[in-house]
Structure formats: structure tokens, C-alpha cells
Amino acid sequence: MADSHLEIEQILAGDHKAFEAFVKRYQRLVSHIVFRMIRNDEDRRDICQDVFIKIHRSLSSFRHESKLSTWIGRVAYNRCLNYLEKKKVPLYEDLCNEGETVDSVIGSAVRPDEYAEDQDRSARLRHEIAGLPAQFRTIVTLYHLDEMTYLEIGDIMKLPEGTVKSYLFRARQLLKERLLAKYQPEEL
Amino acid sequence: MKSVHATEEQIQAYVDGIIGEDFALLSEHIENCEQCRETMHQYRALFGELADDTGFELPAGFARTVAAQVEVGKDGAVAPERWSPAVLFAILGPALMAAITFYILGYESLLSGLGDFGQTMLGNIDAMFTGCATYLQRLGLRPDLFLFTMLVLLVISGLDRLLRTLRHGKAMLLA
Ligand SMILES: [Zn+2]
């Protein structure tokens, strides 16, 4: 991996190619967050683009105090929150205070029941993930796809490490149960 | 110990490879208990599927498009915001207006205006009104008037654009 100091200097100096390489390297991370937070397919791409333009604009203020990937994640996550706020989409976090309410929130989370029975398992999983609250979806993805630690995820989402851990646990337990409850009987 | 099943949380941690103090006991139980082993396999399969990176596709050439966008921004809205035409008009416009006024009114009235500075506020305001009246009288329908009107319009549009730029900048900061 390229030295981030050097790369940032090149980008700040106006190196067009350096920025393109930078976007290529981090577009996966940004798309993971944006696609998990935003349901609207049409807006996702624009938001990903916005995120990188914003990053380009504020790259000079990056102080190397945190990992570059965490900082990028934070910009992406905040952009999504801003979008959801404008669209008045409620974040489940606002509805629940402590551990016990997390359960009630999950219980009431939207769970569309229509699905094609012949879909393969990964499509079923994607369907179940889509039924989770936005923050749960994002945590699961950052943990399993971007291999981030609880601390790094918490840094991006401004959540305590313990909360990240418990959300991740609840989300995965829920996914397992839903996949089993829904699909196992047919498979037996 | 063998009769107590591992909790869901423990099994998840086990599959994650997070090793706690009770790892040896936990591992022994899970490997020997059919029920816990079954749960462990379910989680293992789930975690494997969660590492599947499909459904996040951005269009081909995304990075190139974004980099090009930033390049365009360079000459427009991004860094040189401070020196955009809006700002230039906002600064140069009033300066030019002052210069034209100064030219039309002449040096004497300006100097006498400065001399009046020590007088009361009322006196100054009075002098200003008189100055304006004289000024308008002197302008008549000369080309200066046209130029002056143009400048006023430019300044107004310049200020408007400046305000918009600032508001936009603020919105971007909040985003
Ligand atoms: Zn057991």
C-alpha cells in the first residue's frame, strides 16, 4: 500500500492520476457504507461521488491522527446521515436507548415477507440484511467485508465500542434465526 | 460444565476467532456438544456469506469520472472560491463606484468633505445629502450615469453570487 502522506501530498498538489488511484482504492469502502445506509438506488451513486468530492476538498485537513480508511469512512457515514436527515428517514438508533430497547426495535423493523422461493441463499441473505436497521447493516458489512475492528467501526459511526459489539451480535443472531426460521422447513 | 451450553454470544466470538480466558473450555464444549456444534456451523456458514462482496457495484470508470469532476471543480467552485468573479465584483465594484464618484465630484468637494469630518454627525449627514443632490444634478444624462447603473447592477449580482457561494460552502461543511 502506498505511503498515505506522499499520496495525499500528490493529490493536494493537483495530481489528477493520484486522486483517481485514491478513489479506486477506497471506492469499495465508501460504497459499502453508502449502499448499506441508503436504500434509494438512484441516489447511492451520487452520494458516493459527493463523498469523494468532499474528501478531496477536505483532504488538507486530514491530520493523520486516525487511519485514513477510518477518516474516509467517517466522511461517508456523515454524508449518509445528512442525506437521511434531509429525507426524514428515521435512524433506529434514535428510537432505542439501552440494550433492551434494541430488541424491541429489531422486532419492529421492517420485514418484507414477499420473496421468491427459488432465490439462492445469498439472495435470501441480502434480502434479510435489507430488513435490518441501517446501522446494523452497516456494522455487519464493515466488520465482515472491510475487516474493521469494533473500535474502528465505532470511530466511524460515533458509537462506543461496546455498542458496536452488541449491535453486531444482535444483527448476526437475527440473520441466523431469520434464515433458519424462514427457509429451513422447506429445505428439510 | 459440559451440561451448560455455550451462549450465542460465545459461539459467535468463537467463530470470529476472538479468544477469551474461557477459550479452552468453550472450544472443548463446542467440539463435543452436538447442539452447540450445530449452532457453530450455522454461524460459520453465515459469516462466510457475509463476506460476499456483491451488490455494491459502482459504474465502471467511477474513479475516472470523480477525478474529472474534481478537475473541473478546480477552475470553478472548489479552491479558488475566494477569487471567483463574485468576490471580485463585490470588492472591485464599490471601489470603482467610489473612484467614479470621486472623479465626478472633483478633488475640492472631497477635501472639503474631509474638513467637515470634525463637525457633528448631523452636519456630516447633511453634507452627504447635499453631496448626493449635487452629484445627481451634475450627472444629468451623461454616459457616466449608464456606466454607474451598470456597476450598481454588477455589484448587486456579485453580492448575490457571493452570498450563494457562502451559503453553499456552509452547506458543504455541514454535509
Ligand atoms: Zn452445548
Side-chain angles (χ1 to χ4, degrees):
Chain A
M1 185 152 284
D3 178 359
S4 68
H5 280 78
L6 180 69
E7 187 182 33
I8 290 172
E9 267 171 42
Q10 285 172 334
I11 294 169
L12 289 175
D15 187 336
H16 184 225
K17 285 281 160 205
F19 186 59
E20 192 179 320
F22 175 93
V23 174
K24 264 188 193 143
R25 178 133 25 90
Y26 293 105
Q27 70 180 50
R28 213 175 135 253
L29 169 65
V30 169
S31 72
H32 288 163
I33 295 171
V34 173
F35 281 52
R36 282 295 183 240
M37 291 293 291
I38 312 289
R39 285 183 193 277
N40 188 320
D41 204 37
E42 287 163 22
D43 292 342
R44 288 167 163 179
R45 194 197 142 170
D46 288 348
I47 292 172
C48 286
Q49 199 159 318
D50 271 13
V51 168
F52 279 110
I53 288 169
K54 197 170 158 47
I55 285 169
H56 187 268
R57 203 173 293 205
S58 45
L59 205 53
S60 60
S61 70
F62 176 63
R63 294 281 166 257
H64 299 276
E65 280 156 4
S66 55
K67 273 172 83 174
L68 186 57
S69 53
T70 317
W71 182 76
I72 290 168
R74 220 179 303 149
V75 175
Y77 183 70
N78 289 341
R79 178 67 188 84
C80 293
L81 288 185
N82 187 263
Y83 168 92
L84 294 174
E85 201 176 304
K86 269 186 198 150
K87 296 266 171 179
K88 306 217 186 301
V89 177
L91 248 201
Y92 287 88
E93 182 204 34
D94 299 335
L95 302 174
C96 55
N97 302 313
E98 298 303 322
E100 54 151 14
T101 34
V102 170
D103 293 289
S104 60
V105 165
I106 297 163
S108 64
V110 193
R111 252 188 78 184
D113 277 326
E114 66 286 352
Y115 60 92
E117 290 189 15
D118 56 347
Q119 277 178 323
D120 65 344
R121 219 185 125 91
S122 82
R124 294 170 183 177
L125 177 63
R126 262 179 273 143
H127 177 81
E128 288 303 337
I129 290 175
L132 293 174
Q135 285 184 312
F136 282 40
R137 303 197 293 263
T138 309
I139 290 175
V140 164
T141 303
L142 288 177
Y143 188 83
H144 285 281
L145 277 181
D146 299 288
E147 293 171 344
M148 286 190 165
T149 62
Y150 303 142
L151 194 68
E152 286 167 341
I153 297 171
D155 198 3
I156 289 175
M157 300 175 72
K158 287 200 198 81
L159 291 173
E161 218 179 325
T163 307
V164 173
K165 193 179 167 186
S166 101
Y167 281 13
L168 178 69
F169 165 69
R170 301 295 296 126
R172 297 190 302 193
Q173 187 181 26
L174 206 79
L175 287 173
K176 186 199 69 159
E177 278 162 13
R178 282 186 184 172
L179 286 170
L180 284 176
K182 255 189 174 176
Y183 308 110
Q184 213 173 37
E186 315 160 5
E187 284 166 1
L188 285 174
Chain B
M1 196 65 200
K2 260 203 166 177
S3 57
V4 183
H5 290 301
T7 64
E8 294 270 330
E9 201 159 5
Q10 283 175 320
I11 298 174
Q12 285 196 18
Y14 180 80
V15 178
D16 272 333
I18 296 169
I19 298 167
E21 286 169 23
D22 51 354
F23 183 77
L25 275 174
L26 187 67
S27 151
E28 198 202 332
H29 177 90
I30 291 174
E31 299 303 335
N32 294 305
C33 167
E34 200 180 326
Q35 188 185 320
C36 287
R37 205 168 53 235
E38 173 66 19
T39 311
M40 191 258 295
H41 286 311
Q42 286 161 356
Y43 275 122
R44 189 163 281 169
L46 175 67
F47 292 6
E49 284 162 345
L50 285 173
D52 172 24
D53 197 7
T54 49
F56 299 97
E57 291 81 14
L58 282 167
F62 173 80
R64 188 179 296 254
T65 314
V66 174
Q69 191 122 335
V70 165
E71 200 69 7
V72 169
K74 244 176 214 165
D75 308 318
V78 185
E81 246 167 35
R82 268 173 271 169
W83 302 111
S84 70
V87 185
L88 278 181
F89 278 132
I91 295 167
L92 280 180
L96 271 171
M97 274 166 68
I100 290 171
T101 311
F102 180 74
Y103 172 75
I104 291 167
L105 287 180
Y107 300 93
E108 292 84 3
S109 21
L110 182 87
L111 287 174
S112 71
L114 281 174
D116 288 343
F117 209 73
Q119 291 183 357
T120 59
M121 268 322 267
L122 266 174
N124 278 329
I125 290 165
D126 188 44
M128 253 171 62
F129 276 117
T130 324
C132 281
T134 320
Y135 175 48
L136 286 173
Q137 262 175 13
R138 284 194 198 179
L139 280 179
L141 281 172
R142 285 152 54 181
D144 310 56
L145 183 64
F146 182 70
L147 182 67
F148 185 76
T149 316
M150 287 300 286
L151 268 171
V152 171
L153 288 173
L154 279 175
V155 169
I156 290 171
S157 82
L159 281 172
D160 177 58
R161 281 194 53 187
L162 177 69
L163 280 174
R164 270 192 229 181
T165 314
L166 287 176
R167 223 176 294 155
H168 180 69
K170 209 174 170 190
M172 286 303 290
L173 280 178
L174 290 172

